[in-house]
Amino acid sequence: MRALLVVNPQATATTPAGRDVLAHALASDVKLDIVETDYRGHAADAAAQAVVDGYDLVVAHGGDGTVNEVVNGVLREGAQPGLPMLGVVPGGSANVFAGALGLPRDPVEATYRLLQAIEHGTSRRVSVGRVSATGAGADHDRWFTFNAGVGWDADVVAAVEHQRARGRQASPTLYARTALTSYFSQRRQPPSLTVHIPEEPPFEDVRLAFVSNTDPWTYLGDKAIRLNPSTSFDGGLGLFALHGMGLPTVLRYVAHLLATDGNPKGGNLLRRDDVEFVRVTSPEPVNLQVDGDLLGACTEVEFTGVPGTLTVAV
C-alpha cells in the first residue's frame, strides 16, 4: 500500500516527536511519503497530487482545517471510483471530525487505531457536504465533513481567526468568549436570511442557519452537541435554524443542548434531518464557515449532501 502522510507542523497538538513516531509506525506497514505543509492550501494540493499519483491512502495529521483541506484535495475532481482512503490522526485543538467518527483524539491512540485498520482492512464509507456560495465579490465551492453555517457561528469563526492571527491559541474558552461577544454584536444588526428546503415554501426572517453532516459532534471536549439527532454520516444533511436570537431563546437552546441528549424543539426553531440540500439567501453579505474555517462573505449559499463519497480508515 502506498500512503502519503500530510502533516501540519503548525497545528496545536502536532510536534516533531509525534510526527516521527507516527511516520515510523506507518512506514512499518506501508510505503510512506511525507509532506509537511507550509502554506494555506498546501494539504489540499498534496492530496490532489496523491490522487493523480495513484496513492492508496492519504493520512491527515493536524486539526480539522488540515483534514478539510485533505478531503478537498482528494475530491478536487469530484467523487469518483478509485480515490485514496482517508486516514486521520488528530493534531489540532478540537478534532471534531475524528471525534464524530469515534476515533481517538489522542495522536498515539489514533495511530494505533489507524495501523489496526490498515492491517485488518477496516474502513467506513461516509457522506460529505458540498458548499456552493456566491455574492459579496467572491465565489466559494468547498467540501465539508461535519458542519457549515452562516450567521452567528460564522461570525465567531471569523473573530477567532482574527485573534489567532494576533497570536492567541484556539481553545474552548476562546470560542466561548468570542461567541458571547459576537452574539451581542449580532443583536445590533441581525441578518435576515431566507431558507429554502426541497418541496417546502421558503422560510423567511431566519437569523441563523446551521447545517450538519452528522450528529453528534462537539467543540467541547467529550460533551456531545446534538442539533439533529437523526442526521448521520450515512445520509443527508441536518438543518438547525433560528427565527429569533433573543437572549431567552438562545439561553433556552444552549441549556437544552448542554443538559440533554438532543432532539431540540420550539417555535423559533426550524429543524430538518436527512435533507438533500438547503439553500440560504441574504440581502446583505453574511459570513460563511465550513468545518470551522472561514470562507468569507456571501449572499447566497447552497449546501448539498453527497452520501457515500469518502472512504475512511476506522
Side-chain angles (χ1 to χ4, degrees):
M1 177 181 285
R2 293 183 67 201
L4 178 68
L5 172 61
V6 181
V7 181
N8 178 4
Q10 304 302 317
T12 306
T14 302
T15 65
R19 174 206 60 203
D20 292 344
V21 170
L22 170 58
H24 181 74
L26 286 174
S28 65
D29 280 6
V30 300
K31 183 179 179 182
L32 184 69
D33 293 308
I34 304 172
V35 170
E36 286 199 356
T37 62
D38 56 16
Y39 62 86
R40 191 180 183 95
H42 193 174
D45 292 340
Q49 188 61 45
V51 175
V52 175
D53 293 340
Y55 279 79
D56 305 294
L57 171 70
V58 180
V59 180
H61 181 35
D64 286 304
T66 304
V67 174
N68 181 274
E69 280 200 22
V70 167
V71 168
N72 275 272
V74 169
L75 297 175
R76 180 169 289 178
E77 300 302 323
Q80 54 186 300
L83 291 175
M85 183 166 59
L86 173 69
V88 179
V89 176
S93 58
N95 306 305
V96 179
F97 181 61
L101 282 169
L103 298 174
R105 287 188 170 92
D106 178 78
V108 175
E109 294 180 12
T111 299
Y112 176 76
R113 179 79 167 268
L114 177 60
L115 292 172
Q116 290 293 105
I118 293 172
E119 180 180 351
H120 298 291
T122 55
S123 63
R124 177 182 176 182
R125 296 286 291 179
V126 301
S127 63
V128 291
R130 179 76 171 174
V131 161
S132 297
T134 58
D139 294 337
H140 308 287
D141 287 287
R142 190 78 165 261
W143 298 92
F144 64 96
T145 61
F146 56 89
N147 68 44
V150 292
W152 182 21
D153 64 302
D155 291 343
V156 172
V157 170
V160 168
E161 286 199 3
H162 177 71
Q163 293 183 64
R164 292 182 66 183
R166 298 171 60 186
R168 296 287 301 278
Q169 183 170 313
S171 67
T173 300
L174 178 61
Y175 275 99
R177 290 176 178 172
T178 305
L180 187 62
T181 302
S182 297
Y183 169 75
F184 287 108
S185 297
Q186 190 185 67
R187 284 295 307 277
R188 292 191 291 270
Q189 291 182 313
S192 180
L193 310 174
T194 300
V195 175
H196 307 260
I197 307 170
E199 301 179 2
E200 297 193 48
F203 297 89
E204 299 180 339
D205 295 324
V206 173
R207 305 305 180 190
L208 173 150
F210 196 86
V211 176
S212 297
N213 187 46
T214 190
D215 186 282
W217 51 264
T218 186
Y219 289 104
L220 304 175
D222 294 328
K223 177 57 186 175
I225 296 176
R226 309 214 66 182
L227 300 183
N228 297 86
S230 297
T231 297
S232 75
F233 282 126
D234 299 318
L237 302 173
L239 169 68
F240 182 98
L242 292 177
H243 286 285
M245 290 290 289
L247 191 58
T249 296
V250 171
L251 289 177
R252 180 161 66 88
Y253 284 115
V254 168
H256 179 92
L257 294 172
L258 293 178
T260 72
D261 60 356
N263 200 29
K265 298 177 181 178
N268 280 319
L269 175 62
L270 169 62
R271 203 193 86 189
R272 298 291 186 273
D273 295 317
D274 196 19
V275 296
E276 180 181 351
F277 76 88
V278 177
R279 189 169 81 253
V280 180
T281 58
S282 172
E284 301 294 333
V286 289
N287 281 326
L288 167 66
Q289 69 85 13
V290 171
D291 283 349
D293 186 19
L294 181 70
L295 287 195
C298 64
T299 54
E300 180 172 341
V301 55
E302 183 168 299
F303 307 89
T304 307
V306 188
T309 303
L310 203 62
T311 302
V312 185
V314 294

